[in-house]
Amino acid sequence: MRAQTVSPALFASLDDDVVASGSETVSVPTPSTGETLHELPRSSADDVRDAFARARLAQLAWARVGFAERRRVLLRAHDLILERREMLLDLIQLESGKTRGQAFEEIFAAVSVTRYNALAARKVLRSRPVRSGLPTVATSRVRYRPKGVAGVITPWNFALSLGAMDVIPALAAGCGVVQKADDQGALSILALRRAFIDAGVPAALWAVVAGPAAEVGEALTDVADFICFTGSTATGRTIGEKAGRRLVGASLELGGKNALLVLDDVDPGQAAANAAHAAFSAMGQLCVSVERIYVQRKVAGPFQRALIERLRAARLGSELDFDADFGSLASAAQLARVQAHLDDAVEKGAVVLVGGKHRPDIGPWFFEPTVLTGVTPDMLVYAEETFGAIASLYLVDGDDEAVLAANAGDYGLNAAVFTRSAGRARRVADAIEAGSVNINEGYRGSFASVAAPMGGVKQSGLGRRNGEAGLLRFVEPVTISSTTGLLQLPRTGREYEQQAPLLMLLAQALKALRLR
């Protein structure tokens, strides 16, 4: 195991960047040992309001510097992330219990998001002319005004990458940010922020607060000009209701019970290897990871055997190197949730195909990747999101049955289809009700496609992050129109009577010319 590149002094330095006026702190443990990693300051509601006040002042200047300067700063931050990648990888692992490979996914996502938004913002958000409904009589332009200061609430599971997906487009669009970090992911967020501050982002423009949701989260959603939330459907629904009452926008990426369809033309061994990663990367603590596996009966036997063999051979660990295949659950609460879902399922008749054991010999919250069969609707694991270490396997006959099973339920965040046929894959993917569908991969194709929108349908959320949609959520479109003076538009009844035939001819001509 290599030596870590972080020290208690670095923890203390990053903790000092939290907006907190008091001396109260909370001990944050590391999943690898359960021991205290650092003491995180607690923010108050007053701290949140102060952070927004300072961010609003900084945002006025940031919006005026223009796209070229924001691009320069963001691209410098991109380079600093790469320069500091070993330190960032260590922090992600120490906070989350992930393997180094799964931590690397976060670094790659963060630099990709930064590069995309730095380069795309001007093209997507520049002022542009649009065709007037009265050509030669009036002209129109659309410009985009930054919404102000966004409130971003980031979960613990992919703190660095999910934070980047919300914060960076806001900065690229000319907005400020006040971000609430989860206790278990605060160091990663603070270290990412430090790279951007060192690159030239004004410190007040991107503030980080930490503390209880009932106080800090409520204060943030009370004053934000736009709200980004990633988390549970229940909490997202509450935030969405508050945003609606305040008439401010919100993007909400919420829960998922993601399905993987294994069609009968796959290579069972290859499909099993990919399915194992799709379900248990980050120990299933990822909004887009797979919890339901639907296997067509023709390949069910060899696929099941290959999946069991793959998971039994996997190495669990959280060392600061690339040796481990799967890491730890992130907390005692996560362990308790996984154990409760497993106990409920087994008590009601489910069968454990592989895994199913807590592994305190490796670390306090390690749990073997677990696959169940015989899962029925009366079990918690059937429709409720476990968010860790358990996937359920079901047999299906044919593509239609697989699609119907995948679409059953309240969620629609991510799905996957495994097949050797490109045409078959597209047909099945088009029929699935989900915000993203991956072919022959669990989630990384769409997760890494930072130019494409990412989000859910049904109870999996509203709005989209990434791509043009991810930038446009942080701006208000403003239409500016002016008349040319070529024709005086009608004002009186007589003038309307005189000009109505002319305007009707104009409408017919525009249709004939196919002009919008």
Side-chain angles (χ1 to χ4, degrees):
M1 174 178 170
R2 54 173 291 280
Q4 69 182 47
T5 61
V6 295
S7 66
L10 177 61
F11 297 155
S13 171
L14 293 174
D15 286 336
D16 286 344
D17 287 349
V18 177
V19 178
S21 56
S23 58
E24 183 183 358
T25 63
V26 62
S27 298
V28 180
T30 176
S32 58
T33 64
E35 297 174 354
T36 296
L37 182 63
H38 68 119
E39 295 288 335
L40 181 66
R42 308 301 269 174
S43 307
S44 67
D46 286 341
D47 293 326
V48 174
R49 288 186 282 268
D50 289 346
F52 268 95
R54 290 192 294 272
R56 291 191 198 287
L57 289 175
Q59 186 270 330
L60 294 175
W62 180 249
R64 286 195 295 266
V65 303
F67 290 114
E69 175 62 10
R70 292 198 292 269
R71 168 178 167 160
R72 184 193 69 79
V73 171
L74 295 183
L75 289 178
R76 174 57 181 152
H78 169 281
D79 295 344
L80 290 177
I81 295 170
L82 291 178
E83 289 176 15
R84 300 174 185 182
R85 64 187 179 277
E86 293 300 322
M87 178 266 288
L88 291 168
L89 286 168
D90 285 355
L91 287 175
I92 293 169
Q93 285 195 267
L94 290 169
E95 281 194 299
S96 69
K98 291 177 183 172
T99 66
R100 203 160 191 81
Q102 289 147 19
F104 180 80
E105 290 183 5
E106 292 214 55
I107 302 295
F108 188 83
V111 295
S112 299
V113 165
T114 303
R115 184 176 62 253
Y116 170 81
N117 286 284
L119 299 176
R122 184 177 195 134
K123 178 181 178 182
V124 175
L125 303 179
R126 73 183 187 279
S127 173
R128 67 193 71 190
V130 296
R131 188 181 302 278
S132 169
L134 298 168
T136 74
V137 178
T139 63
S140 293
R141 295 187 66 84
V142 175
R143 62 176 290 268
Y144 294 98
R145 178 179 59 81
K147 287 185 175 179
V149 179
V152 175
I153 301 176
T154 306
W156 49 265
N157 60 319
F158 270 64
L160 187 139
S161 56
L162 293 178
M165 289 177 183
D166 287 333
V167 173
I168 309 312
L171 297 178
C175 290
V177 172
V178 175
Q179 181 179 16
K180 181 191 178 300
D182 189 276
D183 295 351
Q184 201 69 38
L187 286 175
S188 300
I189 288 171
L190 292 165
L192 179 69
R193 173 185 177 273
R194 181 74 63 83
F196 281 80
I197 303 306
D198 292 346
V201 170
L205 187 71
W206 178 0
V208 175
V209 294
E215 180 178 4
V216 175
E218 284 292 324
L220 182 146
T221 54
D222 280 341
V223 295
D225 299 313
F226 185 84
I227 302 168
C228 302
F229 172 76
T230 306
S232 72
T233 296
T235 301
R237 189 178 289 114
T238 300
I239 290 173
E241 289 171 354
K242 175 184 279 192
R245 289 194 299 271
R246 293 187 54 227
L247 297 180
V248 300
S251 64
L252 311 170
E253 187 186 297
L254 308 178
K257 192 72 175 174
N258 306 304
L260 166 60
L261 282 59
V262 182
L263 307 189
D264 58 13
D265 61 350
V266 299
D267 176 313
Q270 185 70 18
N274 289 333
H277 184 275
F280 301 111
S281 176
M283 286 311 294
Q285 299 167 123
L286 173 60
C287 52
V288 291
S289 62
V290 166
E291 293 196 15
R292 298 180 290 151
I293 303 173
Y294 296 100
V295 187
Q296 292 188 351
R297 200 173 300 274
K298 179 180 175 182
V299 293
F303 172 84
Q304 180 175 305
R305 289 190 293 272
L307 182 61
I308 292 171
E309 181 180 352
R310 181 83 177 189
L311 293 174
R312 281 179 177 164
R315 183 179 180 278
L316 304 184
S318 58
E319 294 87 355
L320 303 182
D321 53 38
F322 287 95
D323 285 346
D325 301 307
F326 300 114
S328 172
L329 295 171
S331 65
Q334 284 298 106
L335 174 62
R337 180 177 180 84
V338 168
Q339 191 68 60
H341 274 213
L342 177 63
D343 291 346
D344 174 77
V346 171
E347 181 181 334
K348 294 174 180 175
V351 175
V352 177
L353 291 178
V354 63
K357 295 178 183 177
H358 177 207
R359 293 296 301 276
D361 54 309
I362 304 174
W365 305 317
F366 277 83
F367 201 92
E368 292 177 348
T370 301
V371 178
L372 302 177
T373 189
V375 172
T376 54
D378 61 325
M379 300 174 187
L380 295 174
V381 76
Y382 180 83
E384 189 175 307
E385 185 179 27
T386 303
F387 209 68
I390 298 178
S392 303
L393 189 148
Y394 306 86
L395 300 185
V396 292
D397 293 302
D399 295 2
D400 289 345
E401 183 181 348
V403 168
L404 289 172
N407 289 344
D410 295 332
Y411 297 111
L413 186 58
N414 180 50
V417 181
F418 288 2
T419 173
R420 292 183 180 182
S421 167
R424 191 179 182 190
R426 286 193 296 270
R427 288 193 298 273
V428 171
D430 287 345
I432 292 176
E433 298 169 357
S436 59
V437 182
N438 288 266
I439 295 172
N440 294 325
E441 176 31 57
Y443 65 86
R444 288 176 294 185
S446 58
F447 193 79
S449 298
V450 296
M454 174 184 175
V457 300
K458 298 192 282 190
Q459 296 302 302
S460 288
L462 294 172
R464 294 293 185 268
R465 55 160 55 107
N466 290 348
E468 294 186 7
L471 279 162
L472 288 167
R473 59 189 166 150
F474 294 108
V475 294
E476 293 287 2
V478 179
T479 300
I480 301 172
S481 295
S482 62
T483 56
T484 64
L486 183 65
L487 176 70
Q488 175 61 60
L489 293 175
R491 296 156 297 185
T492 67
R494 175 67 64 180
E495 290 173 346
Y496 272 103
E497 181 181 27
Q498 293 171 345
Q499 292 192 25
L502 177 63
L503 294 175
M504 290 301 299
L505 285 173
L506 175 62
Q508 292 168 353
L510 291 175
K511 178 187 176 184
L513 294 171
R514 297 186 177 182
L515 297 177
R516 291 175 292 170

